[in-house]
Amino acid sequence: MANALISVPPKAKRGEIIEVKTLVRHAMETGFRRTQLGERVPRDIITRFVCTYNGVEILRAVLHPAIAANPLLAFTTVATESGTLEFKWTGDNGYSLIETAAITVV
Amino acid sequence: MSTSRRNFLIAVGGIGLATTVGSARATPEAMREAIRRVARTAAIRVGKVKLDIAPLVENGNSVALSVTVESPMTTADHVKAIHVFTEKNPLPEVISVFLGPRAGRAGISTRVRLADTQAVIAVAELSDGSFWSASADVIVTLAACLEELT
């Protein structure tokens, strides 16, 4: 599996509401777990997610440790024009991942 | 005063118990405070929001959750943000999603961790400044967050 799985319909009618699904590989270590020796495992999570459509922000999210490992986020957007959707995840320890998906609007 | 073995054990046991009870765990009050931080002084009404989550969950490590809000999602009338909170997770906040008319529909789905049998609350902020909420009670048989690393 790649680091992120993205599902965007490759083609859509203008004005149609399309569903976007994103799944990114990340352990989302909560910072509340302890090892058998009692040491706390430091927090390492994705804290921010932004989705832009041809440079315009569609959706932004703030994630907390209560989001399960390999965070999934599904949402909708209006297919306005052909172009690219860009997805950006950022998080603890300098984590950053950018993925794009192309869409053709007819 | 001599400390008998029994008294000593009671005292030590008490310390142990006190530290376990005092471990990281949010309370319904902490959740209300977290919701207040988001809504500030605005009144939160019940309605418009639909929170979909299984009522009985076997494994709290990954629980499907979706929130939808009744809204035309136009520039004049749309949902600005959707926040999810829990009552008894170590932290009350789960996710905050900020959206706008370009989303088309006000709905998100994700997967969350639940540390205990508890109430989950979704709060939506509308463009007119009003807040709406929905809550769901979830029974969790295997809790998240508490397992040891092996």
Side-chain angles (χ1 to χ4, degrees):
Chain A
M1 183 180 130
N3 279 323
L5 282 177
I6 289 161
S7 156
V8 175
K11 270 186 188 170
K13 290 197 188 96
R14 192 174 301 276
E16 189 185 341
I17 294 174
I18 55 168
E19 184 166 33
V20 179
K21 288 182 196 155
T22 65
L23 182 72
V24 55
R25 183 162 62 180
H26 196 286
M28 291 295 274
E29 186 57 56
T30 60
F32 295 104
R33 297 202 303 165
R34 287 176 189 276
T35 64
Q36 286 180 329
L37 298 172
E39 289 160 32
R40 201 172 267 250
V41 183
R43 190 184 93 157
D44 184 10
I45 65 165
I46 291 174
T47 50
R48 295 280 190 280
F49 169 76
V50 182
C51 172
T52 54
Y53 190 147
N54 282 349
V56 181
E57 186 182 298
I58 299 295
L59 182 132
R60 183 163 49 93
V62 178
L63 280 63
H64 295 277
I67 294 297
N70 303 327
L72 167 119
L73 194 60
F75 51 93
T76 54
T77 187
V78 182
T80 49
E81 57 198 346
S82 297
T84 50
L85 280 91
E86 189 185 83
F87 306 89
K88 188 178 183 190
W89 294 265
T90 48
D92 294 340
N93 304 319
Y95 182 87
S96 178
L97 177 70
I98 297 175
E99 290 282 335
T100 53
I103 182 165
T104 311
V105 175
V106 288
Chain B
M1 196 191 94
S2 69
T3 311
S4 71
R5 182 172 180 273
R6 171 177 295 190
N7 284 344
F8 175 76
L9 286 178
I10 289 170
V12 171
I15 295 167
L17 201 64
T19 44
T20 0
V21 170
S23 68
R25 180 58 69 91
T27 58
E29 289 74 50
M31 181 182 72
R32 276 193 283 276
E33 278 170 32
I35 294 175
R36 273 292 138 228
R37 278 198 291 277
V38 165
R40 298 175 193 279
T41 55
I44 300 167
R45 280 169 284 179
V46 174
K48 286 199 183 190
V49 182
K50 190 158 167 276
L51 174 60
D52 266 331
I53 188 165
L56 177 68
V57 169
E58 251 177 48
N59 184 349
N61 278 309
S62 182
V63 185
L65 172 148
S66 71
V67 183
T68 45
V69 189
E70 283 171 39
S71 168
M73 293 306 271
T74 57
T75 318
D77 181 8
H78 59 265
V79 176
K80 276 169 75 181
I82 295 171
H83 308 272
V84 179
F85 301 94
T86 58
E87 216 174 38
K88 291 179 185 166
N89 271 10
L91 292 171
E93 297 93 352
V94 175
I95 192 168
S96 296
V97 180
F98 303 89
L99 60 174
R102 287 285 302 266
R105 268 198 296 267
I108 54 137
S109 27
T110 183
R111 289 200 283 248
V112 302
R113 290 182 170 122
L114 294 175
D116 204 346
T117 293
Q118 57 182 323
V120 178
I121 294 189
V123 176
E125 180 183 0
L126 270 56
S127 53
D128 63 1
S130 65
F131 284 84
W132 298 83
S133 79
S135 77
D137 290 313
V138 184
I139 296 169
V140 179
T141 49
L142 175 65
C145 316
L146 301 172
E147 80 278 27
E148 279 181 337
L149 287 185
T150 47

